[in-house]
Amino acid sequence: MFRKPVESVLEYIVLRPVLFLLLLGSSLAFSTGSSCQDIKETGPDPLPLPSPVPQAQDRPMPGTIMLKVDGTDLARHIYTVHEIIPVSPELSAHGGDMMIRYPMWIPGDHSPTGPVTQLAGLSVHADNRNIPWTRDTVDVSTFHIPITAGTKMILVDFQTLTPVSSDVGRVVMTPDMLNVQWNAVCLYPAGYFTRDLTVSPTLVLPHGWQYGSALRPRDGGNTGDSITFQNVSFDHLVDSPVFAGRYFRRFDLTPPNGPPVSLDVIADSPNLLAATPEQINAHRNLVLQANAVFGSHHYEHYDFLLALTEELGRIGLEHHQSSENSGPRGYFTKWKDTFPARDLLPHEFTHSWNGKFRRPEDLWAADFNTPHRGSLLWIYEGQTQYWGYVLAARSNLMTQPQVLDALALVAATYDGRAGRLWRPLVDTTNDPVIARRTPLSWRSWQRSEDYYSEGELLWLEADTLIRELSHGHHSLDDVARQFFGISNGSMVTHTYRREDIIAALNTVQPYDWAGFLHDRVDVVTPHAPLAGLVRGGYRLVYGTEPTTYQSAKEKMLKMHDYSFSLGFTVDQKGKLLNIEWNSPAWQAAITMDEKIVAVNNMTFDADLLSDAITAAASPGAAPIELLIQSGDRYRNVSIPYHGGLRYPRLERIPNTPDMLADILKPRPITP
């Protein structure tokens, strides 16, 4: 290395005193503790996000979207889709970026559940040429299509690759049935309210299959196995799924002087369709009793769509003019055993009024890609859950004792929810977006969509309070009639806010309803709202035997419920399905998805476990010993629980009116 002579350095210092002082000061700064943190480094700037997709506008789209869906590829579980989408006059005149969207926010799902991962093979053509598309890098359900001037329409082709097994997702195609959810098999142009888009849908079914839907075929629209339905708005299309199958039966439920109502059933085998007249009559009663509550209807016709299956994926979704539900295979043929599933159709039917006709303001959106906000789901779903059980009893789909047993299980479950100590009910309305209905490790602490069943208890309390304050002259029936029963025959959605339901309650029975709802919805409460049970003439107690309802539910779900004793549910093979926070099982560090291999050194079965819990309640009894398997590891767990078997039930409070019996009894039907 070259080095200057000393004298040259001295000369340099003499000639450059200012520079020397600067250099000296810099050296002193480093020597007195200054660090690199004092030197600001310039990092990268964020890349601006692309322009957002334009907001929807309330303007009619010229032309009609032609949609054809082929559902015949059952072996591979594939829908083949062909669409012809008109190009707006502005784009056609000058060219530009056309955006088409895959629906993501489906009403009733309360979260962005659109299965965009299933879309494949997308190709776009116009004027006999291929148009390369580009997916939006932020909104990945939107596709950009470059349009040249003069283009009048685009041809869109793709496949919807539905799950081939439940390991992949919800199965919607089997060898004997299929479920067409139109949102999964269509794209729509951005920039419009979807109610302003007109669609002509065609569905091709396997040969000889029959179908049920709120859609109606066009005159002359049935050509062999192809059905062309009447033109509908895009909103109406997405709200009108199809159940189709090899084994199909339709039952007429139309009430006297009312619009057409039917029960459209598909099944895994033809013998499952063998309904008795008494069973169908209970469903007819459902229509009559719902009309008696709401005093109106908001559908031109209504189709209960019901799949009796263990192959098609489970579904429970509401629509304005139909339901979309699956039930146990023995829904009809094992009627005495399947009653725990029979509040579902009343629940979905209620949604035609509560949820479809009247909808919370923040759950309404102009298209299917605008996020929903569910702050009032405790009304939308909670009150609907309440009417589901009430109408099930009033129509004789369930007996009064069965509904009371169901209420006992709900009350015990949500009163014991450990998570209520930190999370208010209103926050659970965010859960569809937070958790996306995926399994939770500690559901009792995390809470889930508790607005359903805790909301049911809230509205039971409101109903009994109205009855008490009005000395039996009014009830929640009157509120429902006033709030949901307006504009008879109209299908135009009316939105509402919390203030609106409070006003309706006060019109029927003046009270501090704002405070009532605030105290049960917005703040942390240590207990579930059980005052409705007490005011209704019952108290929650525990016995050593499950109720008939709980036994039937366990049998249907192929599980055993020890939530109120050891603190877990377990399947028939010993796999732990849920652990209650702070329960004896939780204290023993047992977690879900582990397996009970043995109970007190004997191979697991549920009867053996029940006997062990009972024996451990004897004075001086030893703890319950479990052998737990977790993956490839085994460990012995000792649980010092001595409280015996505990199953919730309702007990009549002596010398009190049986208000619950009055709530559940059928309403008089006027001709």
Side-chain angles (χ1 to χ4, degrees):
M1 180 180 289
F2 174 78
R3 180 174 292 178
K4 278 193 174 185
V6 173
E7 52 269 20
S8 298
V9 173
L10 293 174
E11 181 185 22
Y12 185 80
I13 291 172
V14 171
L15 296 176
R16 298 289 188 271
V18 175
L19 179 60
F20 175 78
L21 289 173
L22 290 173
L23 290 171
L24 180 62
S26 176
S27 174
L28 287 172
F30 278 101
S31 66
T32 56
S34 180
S35 69
C36 293
Q37 294 176 352
D38 296 325
I39 302 175
K40 181 179 180 181
E41 295 185 6
T42 302
D45 290 323
L47 182 69
L49 292 173
S51 299
V53 178
Q55 285 192 338
Q57 299 180 38
D58 192 4
R59 53 175 181 151
M61 181 198 74
T64 299
I65 298 172
M66 309 299 292
L67 171 66
K68 184 176 182 179
V69 178
D70 189 319
T72 59
D73 193 352
L74 302 176
R76 287 181 286 256
H77 299 248
I78 295 173
Y79 288 118
T80 301
V81 182
H82 176 70
E83 277 188 270
I84 302 174
I85 304 177
V87 175
S88 70
E90 310 90 77
L91 271 177
S92 182
H94 306 290
D97 181 19
M98 180 177 181
M99 286 172 266
I100 56 177
R101 313 189 81 176
Y102 188 87
M104 293 300 295
W105 285 85
I106 313 306
D109 282 356
H110 312 312
S111 61
T113 55
V116 67
T117 56
Q118 297 175 14
L119 185 148
L122 178 63
S123 67
V124 182
H125 292 81
D127 303 322
N128 296 317
R129 60 186 177 83
N130 179 65
I131 303 179
W133 53 266
T134 304
R135 191 189 298 264
D136 194 277
T137 55
V138 175
D139 184 347
V140 294
S141 60
T142 297
F143 301 88
H144 297 267
I145 315 296
I147 297 297
T148 57
T151 301
K152 304 291 186 184
M153 63 187 65
I154 59 173
L155 281 62
V156 179
D157 293 274
F158 62 93
Q159 303 91 40
T160 299
L161 309 180
T162 74
V164 297
S165 75
S166 58
D167 292 337
V168 182
R170 179 177 171 261
V171 173
V172 298
M173 302 179 83
T174 80
D176 297 312
M177 64 179 65
L178 56 80
N179 178 196
V180 179
Q181 295 179 311
W182 296 101
N183 55 279
V185 291
C186 60
L187 296 161
Y188 70 95
Y192 301 90
F193 280 23
T194 45
R195 69 187 180 201
D196 295 328
L197 306 177
T198 301
V199 186
S200 174
T202 297
L203 176 62
V204 183
L205 294 174
H207 181 65
W209 282 26
Q210 299 181 71
Y211 71 92
S213 175
L215 297 177
R216 293 298 184 256
R218 180 185 301 172
D219 289 342
N222 287 7
T223 307
D225 298 317
S226 179
I227 306 104
T228 297
F229 298 100
Q230 297 173 12
N231 286 10
V232 291
S233 71
F234 198 88
D235 278 8
H236 190 168
L237 178 72
V238 171
D239 201 33
S240 305
V242 176
F243 273 5
R246 191 183 311 275
Y247 310 114
F248 176 91
R249 193 173 177 187
R250 176 174 287 120
F251 302 93
D252 182 31
L253 308 180
T254 304
N257 305 314
V261 180
S262 65
L263 174 61
D264 306 338
V265 189
I266 54 175
D268 288 339
S269 60
N271 63 294
L272 300 175
L273 300 171
T276 67
E278 293 76 18
Q279 293 166 352
I280 299 305
N281 193 52
H283 292 83
R284 289 196 184 97
N285 288 338
L286 168 58
V287 179
L288 294 171
Q289 290 295 326
N291 289 336
V293 170
F294 300 110
S296 67
H297 67 274
H298 301 293
Y299 47 83
E300 295 176 355
H301 43 74
Y302 192 93
D303 290 70
F304 290 98
L305 304 183
L306 180 62
L308 306 182
T309 178
E310 290 184 3
E311 297 182 54
L312 198 76
R314 310 299 292 175
I315 183 71
L317 190 59
E318 65 271 14
H319 302 282
H320 210 141
Q321 297 195 109
S322 78
S323 69
E324 186 181 8
N325 301 117
S326 56
R329 284 181 174 179
Y331 184 85
F332 294 125
T333 55
K334 297 182 180 179
W335 187 256
K336 292 181 179 180
D337 299 326
T338 57
F339 64 87
R342 292 206 289 272
D343 67 299
L344 182 57
L345 292 186
H347 177 106
E348 305 298 9
F349 193 37
T350 298
H351 270 314
S352 183
W353 290 267
N354 180 10
K356 290 300 178 179
F357 172 64
R358 297 222 65 177
R359 189 177 308 173
E361 189 175 53
D362 59 1
L363 274 176
W364 185 89
D367 61 20
F368 293 101
N369 291 73
T370 300
H372 300 175
R373 290 156 292 168
S375 64
L376 298 181
L377 281 171
W378 49 273
I379 306 174
Y380 180 117
E381 295 290 6
Q383 193 175 139
T384 297
Q385 188 78 350
Y386 177 66
W387 288 119
Y389 279 105
V390 170
L391 290 173
R394 292 182 186 178
S395 61
N396 203 33
L397 284 167
M398 296 174 69
T399 67
Q400 281 197 18
Q402 289 166 351
V403 171
L404 292 177
D405 288 347
L407 285 172
L409 184 56
V410 168
T413 298
Y414 290 90
D415 195 49
R417 255 309 185 250
R420 63 184 315 106
L421 297 176
W422 71 274
R423 191 177 187 190
L425 181 66
V426 69
D427 191 54
T428 71
T429 64
N430 296 304
D431 228 55
V433 179
I434 296 170
R436 305 286 177 90
R437 294 179 173 171
T438 54
L440 300 173
S441 297
W442 302 102
R443 180 173 178 172
S444 66
W445 182 242
Q446 293 166 277
R447 303 195 81 175
S448 183
E449 296 179 44
D450 291 6
Y451 53 83
Y452 274 91
S453 294
E454 188 167 326
E456 174 189 359
L457 296 173
L458 182 157
W459 290 108
L460 170 62
E461 184 178 357
D463 196 353
T464 57
L465 184 56
I466 293 169
R467 290 166 185 266
E468 181 180 78
L469 293 173
S470 68
H471 305 290
H473 294 296
H474 299 296
S475 69
L476 196 65
D477 292 56
D478 301 306
V479 179
R481 192 181 190 92
Q482 180 187 116
F483 195 69
F484 301 111
I486 59 175
S487 302
N488 183 36
S490 173
M491 289 182 57
V492 178
T493 298
H494 289 47
T495 60
Y496 65 84
R497 298 170 298 169
R498 181 189 286 211
E499 293 80 1
D500 298 321
I501 193 70
I502 291 171
L505 287 161
N506 275 312
T507 299
V508 171
Q509 177 58 57
Y511 186 68
D512 180 17
W513 292 109
F516 174 91
L517 295 175
H518 170 77
D519 292 345
R520 289 153 184 79
V521 174
D522 302 322
V523 297
V524 171
T525 56
H527 292 285
L530 303 186
L533 295 176
V534 176
R535 194 178 290 112
Y538 291 81
R539 64 167 66 96
L540 178 65
V541 297
Y542 293 85
T544 57
E545 296 289 335
T547 62
T548 304
Y549 175 87
Q550 185 163 353
S551 293
K553 186 173 183 179
E554 289 183 9
K555 184 177 180 181
M556 279 180 51
L557 298 178
K558 300 177 181 178
M559 49 80 80
H560 303 278
D561 191 348
Y562 299 98
S563 298
F564 310 104
S565 53
L566 289 181
F568 58 71
T569 55
V570 61
D571 73 8
Q572 294 172 330
K573 296 182 179 180
K575 181 181 178 181
L576 290 154
L577 307 175
N578 181 61
I579 307 293
E580 296 293 318
W581 190 267
N582 269 340
S583 67
W586 186 89
Q587 298 290 347
I590 298 174
T591 67
M592 66 178 290
D593 286 342
E594 294 184 323
K595 183 178 181 180
I596 303 175
V597 177
V599 180
N600 291 342
N601 299 316
M602 299 287 290
T603 301
F604 167 84
D605 74 39
D607 289 339
L608 179 65
L609 179 57
S610 295
D611 290 343
I613 296 172
T614 299
S618 301
I624 299 167
E625 302 292 336
L626 303 179
L627 176 61
I628 300 294
Q629 179 184 1
S630 180
D632 294 331
R633 299 175 182 271
Y634 294 82
R635 70 183 189 279
N636 290 303
V637 173
S638 180
I639 303 182
Y641 172 75
H642 304 286
L645 291 167
R646 298 178 77 244
Y647 296 100
R649 61 182 64 246
L650 296 184
E651 178 182 86
R652 279 285 286 127
I653 301 173
N655 304 316
T656 60
D658 192 345
M659 194 182 290
L660 294 191
D662 186 59
I663 289 173
L664 299 178
K665 72 180 182 182
R667 290 296 172 262
I669 304 300
T670 24

